[in-house]
Amino acid sequence: MIKTVSTSPYNGQKMGTAGIRQKVQTVLQKNYLENFIQSLFNAIGGVKGQTFVLGGDGRYYNDIALQKIIKMAAANGMKKLIIGQNGMLSTPASSHILLKNHADGGLTLSASHNPGGINGDFGIKYATKTGGQCSSAVSDKIFEETKRITSYKILETDDIDLSKKGVQKLGDMEIEVIDPIEDYLELMQQIFDFDAIKKLFQSGFSFVFDAMNAVTGPYAIKIFEEALGAKKGSVINAVPMPDFGGLHPDPNLVYAKDLVSLMYGDHAPDFAAANDGDGDRNMILGKKFFVSPSDSLAILTDNYRYIPAYKNGIYGVAKSAATSTAVCRVAKALGVDCYEVPTGWKNFCNLMDSKRITFCGEESFGTGSSHIREKDGIWAVLFWLNIIAATGKSVSQITRDFWKKYGRTYYLRFDFEAIDLKVADDLMADLENNLSSFEGKTYGGRKVTSAHPFVYQDPVDGSQTKNGLLVYFEDGARICYRLSGTGTNGATLRVYIEAYEKENFDENPKDKLRSLLDIAMTLAQIEKRTGKTKPDLTT
Ligand code: G1P
Ligand code: ZN
């Protein structure tokens, strides 16, 4: 029986760059989830007759939220739900299934790389039929709906069994439970040279993939161990857990520290990689070697010819403004366009749809291509393995050869966390007002050539977005400031710094960028305004 339940609006259900993301404790409030889902359905003109893809990264509350959403979809007249077995879907697999089935939308229950468990975060990513995140116009509309919602619809029925593959009916709605890993594997086989990678593993190449107790474990076992023949046990932390076993599933030097120590120790395998909670981020490591995500994007682009799916040529490339300029130098050499877009994957999607770009990436460990409309962690790992198999070179050799060819862009991101919201907003507003006064002046021996807000005009829909403040120096160094859009605890100020070197490749990035960090802190008056004398997190 369809029930109409009265409810009242909550504040704070605004979508960020990738959907809603909240503390579990917030989401547990009465009707919070129901309000959001009904508002979303209302905002997109209802879901009657539509097909949606549904799944999540297995984090705490996924099981309960899935059942609620299934029952609400049925009550709202949805025609069909395609659901990952046991309710599990990585973000890239979800985008793929959505596109493959020409579905009208997708919901991925995940707070990406944020911690899970009852005291962690929960989130919902909404994708449109394009396979990517919705426009800000649509997310604004959803937010407006959440402010005036008075009731939601839900089917009163028992929970649905999501453990068995196959089709079942719920009222008039069809539910198809699928094995998403099979579809995803097939897609990867169409892109990469699996035979070459198999030979690489047969030759004794050693490999570790850290799934961080999150969604990619089963995908990685199927692809790397079963299909490609990596040694059994190569995939570690392979069983998805509601609290990720206490790990913070963000693949970077700080949160994947066990993997990093392994790679810097005496028994390091040839290659290691990690993915985040929902499988769209990646970190690449060689023996005693870390590849910065900005470099990784540039290196993949420079080596595209080794990959069967791209060997006939690529369109352009794109990076977020905060990401280092390394890939732009490659694009220039290849004679393809390099776009600079605001932070957030959705800004790449119009460029992919209009065939302006093939590859894109962000400094925050996200890399991807037009095969789907999300970043893709396993795709990036396979890309590296394919290059290694084709060239016979190690991760560090490939990267060093790249630096020799293009120079090295030293790059780091410095985060100042949990700042009072007003303090952060004022800091950014005043910095923006002061920007032009920096031009032509010298700070710490470096002359500012230009300083301005980053404003992007989307070449497809003409929309304008302002996101971040940029300061350029005469020697090629650059500082970018922006406030995080995904944090759940006060404001996070991100300061992204790069310096370019033609010859000197062996400095520690922290040492290399220290003086620029000092300049960045002075220009934005970070210590005076926040009381912080150093960043809370450097990645
Ligand atoms: C962060 C990253 C950004 C990424 C987003 C979603 O957003 O910086 O590159 O697209 O997560 O994964 P931020 O918190 O900086 O707004
Ligand atoms: Zn993610």
Side-chain angles (χ1 to χ4, degrees), residues 112-113 125 276 278 280-281:
S112 187
H113 51 284
K125 292 187 176 187
D276 75 330
D278 62 332
D280 55 2
R281 293 184 173 200

Side-chain angles (χ1 to χ4, degrees), residues 29-273:
Q29 294 176 88
K30 187 156 180 251
N31 294 346
Y32 186 94
L33 182 103
E34 290 87 342
N35 277 359
F36 179 73
I37 295 296
Q38 189 65 54
S39 300
L40 191 158
F41 289 171
N42 295 348
I44 59 175
V47 291
K48 208 169 166 43
Q50 298 199 352
T51 298
F52 264 56
V53 175
L54 177 66
D57 63 6
R59 70 176 58 227
Y60 185 85
Y61 200 56
N62 257 16
D63 46 355
I64 295 168
L66 283 166
Q67 295 293 340
K68 288 188 186 209
I69 293 170
I70 294 169
K71 293 170 193 174
M72 287 184 68
N76 278 274
M78 197 175 282
K79 184 170 145 225
K80 182 173 178 181
L81 268 180
I82 303 172
I83 308 180
Q85 200 168 5
N86 297 314
M88 301 290 287
L89 269 183
S90 73
T91 291
S94 177
S95 181
H96 172 52
I97 308 278
L98 200 163
L99 291 169
K100 189 179 162 187
N101 291 282
H102 307 286
D104 301 292
L107 295 170
T108 309
L109 311 189
S110 171
S112 187
H113 51 284
N114 290 17
I118 190 162
N119 295 314
D121 290 351
F122 179 81
I124 302 179
K125 292 187 176 187
Y126 164 58
T128 66
K129 63 172 191 279
T130 62
Q133 293 148 28
C134 66
S135 64
S136 357
V138 174
S139 56
D140 289 348
K141 227 168 144 190
I142 299 170
F143 183 44
E144 289 312 313
E145 287 289 331
T146 66
K147 290 196 281 192
R148 59 166 174 253
I149 188 161
T150 54
S151 69
Y152 66 86
K153 281 193 187 140
I154 190 155
L155 195 74
E156 280 196 303
T157 178
D158 291 341
D159 281 359
I160 310 304
D161 180 4
L162 300 176
S163 67
K164 279 189 242 34
K165 279 199 292 181
V167 178
Q168 49 188 307
K169 275 265 177 182
L170 181 67
D172 292 333
M173 184 176 76
E174 190 179 297
I175 294 176
E176 186 183 1
V177 176
I178 57 155
D179 175 357
I181 304 178
E182 280 170 16
D183 289 274
Y184 182 77
L185 168 63
E186 200 180 292
L187 176 66
M188 293 300 114
Q189 283 167 327
Q190 287 161 12
I191 299 175
F192 298 106
D193 186 346
F194 268 50
D195 287 335
I197 304 174
K198 245 188 239 173
K199 283 198 193 108
L200 177 72
F201 283 127
Q202 273 160 11
S203 73
F205 182 82
S206 51
F207 162 89
V208 172
F209 179 94
D210 189 345
M212 304 191 90
N213 301 319
V215 77
T216 52
Y219 292 78
I221 289 182
K222 177 97 174 187
I223 293 171
F224 299 118
E225 296 186 10
E226 291 171 15
L228 290 167
K231 219 172 73 210
K232 240 178 158 278
S234 298
V235 180
I236 59 168
N237 297 319
V239 182
M241 296 183 204
D243 65 348
F244 307 122
L247 290 183
H248 184 156
D250 196 0
N252 60 40
L253 295 176
V254 177
Y255 296 124
K257 60 176 183 307
D258 290 348
L259 189 70
V260 175
S261 336
L262 172 74
M263 294 311 287
Y264 282 81
D266 292 337
H267 305 289
D270 297 307
F271 180 98

Side-chain angles (χ1 to χ4, degrees), residues 224 413 496:
F224 299 118
R413 180 175 102 187
Y496 310 83

Side-chain angles (χ1 to χ4, degrees), residues 17-18 21 112-113 125 276 280-281 320 343-345 362-364 375 413 482-487 494 496:
T17 49
R21 195 170 296 184
S112 187
H113 51 284
K125 292 187 176 187
D276 75 330
D280 55 2
R281 293 184 173 200
S320 67
T343 291
W345 205 259
E362 296 187 286
E363 52 69 41
S364 52
K375 53 196 174 233
R413 180 175 102 187
R482 60 177 284 280
L483 294 182
S484 158
T486 63
R494 304 205 197 279
Y496 310 83

